[in-house]
Amino acid sequence: MTSGLILWGRKSSANLQKTLWALEELGLTYEHRLVGGSHGGLDDPAYRALNPNGLVPTLQDGDLTVWESHATIRYLAGAYGQESLWRADPRQRARVDQWTDWTATTFQPAWLGLFWLAVRTPTDQQDAKAIARAYNKTIAALTLMERELGQHAYLADEELSYADIAAGIALYRWFTMAVDRPDMPNVQAWYQRLSGRAAFRRTVMVSYAELVGRLAF
Ligand SMILES: N[C@@H](CCC(=O)N[C@@H](CS)C(=O)NCC(=O)O)C(=O)O
């Protein structure tokens, strides 16, 4: 394998934060190239050649290029996290993948939908009914996690896995957004556990001020 990790994407991107957190969690050396958002560059032919989907993140590892945030964290876990983020046992890994894929299809569309409607949309353009619908979907998803996290410390089992990275990047925004938060002690404890990790604090607990009231990117 040719080595040399390069991550492309802006730091305020929720999807980028998954890859960034995984890189930091694994203590890897990488180059970070800022593209997307106010940095631009996503339509450059050179970037499109790497990522024809034209979004961030994109990860390069030598001659390998991977896009789609969940594919990037699975790759990093498999390549560099055999003793930590990865699960060699297919039965254990099935649970990690279950929560990772559920995050892609259910949890993230709910919470990120709410974030767009209630944080990114300028106040005078906000749609209260749409916000209520997205809020209810977010609460339903969090309720599922609340039940699961009552059984073990992390989403899939007792240790951090890439499922926690996929889902956990939502928590800083959830706990700092101006919304009602029903008491969910297990989710709260999980957030505290994640906040105890330097890699999470460095990559996820970062300002999203540039996104507030801004629909541009
Ligand atoms: N399904 C993709 C979604 C990627 C995505 O939507 N990225 C957003 C940022 S979170 C983006 O590139 N937006 C354009 C920009 O930042 O300029 C993934 O998980 O990687």
Side-chain angles (χ1 to χ4, degrees):
M1 179 171 51
T2 322
S3 67
L5 288 158
I6 304 173
L7 174 65
W8 299 78
R10 61 178 164 89
K11 292 181 180 176
S12 62
S13 149
N15 288 305
L16 180 286
Q17 287 178 358
K18 298 168 192 168
T19 323
L20 194 54
W21 176 10
L23 286 164
E24 291 277 327
E25 189 67 44
L26 294 167
L28 296 167
T29 301
Y30 59 92
E31 186 189 336
H32 190 171
R33 296 190 185 165
L34 298 171
V35 288
S38 51
H39 306 288
L42 300 188
D43 293 326
D44 291 356
Y47 187 74
R48 289 288 171 142
L50 290 177
N51 183 344
N53 201 37
L55 297 172
V56 301
T58 300
L59 178 71
Q60 289 181 274
D61 190 1
D63 52 13
L64 174 73
T65 302
V66 192
W67 43 272
E68 274 303 315
S69 57
H70 291 189
T72 68
I73 58 177
R74 268 195 190 98
Y75 169 69
L76 289 171
Y80 301 104
Q82 288 286 332
E83 305 302 320
S84 55
L85 300 178
W86 187 252
R87 297 295 181 273
D89 176 357
R91 296 176 68 91
Q92 283 184 297
R93 197 167 65 252
R95 295 182 48 77
V96 178
D97 282 332
Q98 169 193 293
W99 288 107
T100 304
D101 290 1
W102 173 83
T103 295
T105 58
T106 306
F107 179 47
Q108 182 162 312
W111 80 259
L112 199 51
L114 176 63
F115 186 79
W116 272 88
L117 291 163
V119 176
R120 298 207 57 166
T121 304
T123 319
D124 61 353
Q125 295 171 37
Q126 288 184 2
D127 175 342
K129 282 189 181 149
I131 290 176
R133 278 194 299 274
Y135 176 80
N136 290 338
K137 285 183 187 167
T138 306
I139 294 297
L142 284 165
T143 302
L144 221 76
M145 291 157 96
E146 171 68 11
R147 216 165 42 220
E148 190 68 18
L149 289 162
Q151 296 169 46
H152 28 80
Y154 291 93
L155 255 188
D157 52 39
E158 292 296 347
E159 303 294 335
L160 188 84
S161 71
Y162 55 87
D164 297 286
I165 293 183
I169 52 108
L171 294 183
Y172 175 65
R173 295 192 187 183
W174 171 249
F175 281 106
T176 53
M177 277 167 73
V179 291
D180 281 343
R181 279 177 291 277
D183 200 25
M184 293 192 183
N186 298 327
V187 171
Q188 177 83 42
W190 179 49
Y191 180 46
Q192 270 163 12
R193 237 166 262 134
L194 298 183
S195 308
R197 310 184 81 93
F200 179 82
R201 289 197 301 276
R202 269 201 302 276
T203 58
V204 180
M205 299 179 81
V206 299
S207 170
Y208 52 85
E210 70 163 3
L211 305 178
V212 177
R214 185 174 197 171
L215 294 167
F217 52 79

